[in-house]
Amino acid sequence: MAEQNPVRSYVVVNATALFGADRLITFTSAAPAGATVAFRVDGRRVRATLTGEQLANGRFRADLEVPYL
């Protein structure tokens, strides 16, 4: 039987460009570090890359993919 990834709590560290300085984006995922996941924030579809870097608050870092026009 294959081992499952634990569900981890993530915080997006670079959300300011799309959502402003006061927006805290958190979510959970069982996808492995290095994976890119899609989800919705305020009705907007976004993608974030998960990292294995644990932050001081116990959550893990996620980097938002910022589309450049």
Side-chain angles (χ1 to χ4, degrees):
M1 186 171 174
E3 186 177 323
Q4 293 182 340
N5 291 321
V7 174
R8 292 180 171 175
S9 180
Y10 288 89
V11 62
V12 174
V13 297
N14 62 333
T16 301
L18 294 177
F19 297 100
D22 295 334
R23 187 66 164 100
L24 176 65
I25 300 172
T26 62
F27 62 96
T28 59
S29 178
T36 299
V37 296
F39 55 98
R40 292 199 175 271
V41 177
D42 299 338
R44 189 174 182 176
R45 188 174 186 273
V46 296
R47 293 168 46 106
T49 301
L50 309 179
T51 74
E53 179 184 346
Q54 192 168 13
L55 303 174
N57 60 11
R59 295 180 178 145
F60 288 82
R61 174 187 174 129
D63 297 313
L64 200 63
E65 289 186 357
V66 180
Y68 293 97
L69 303 176

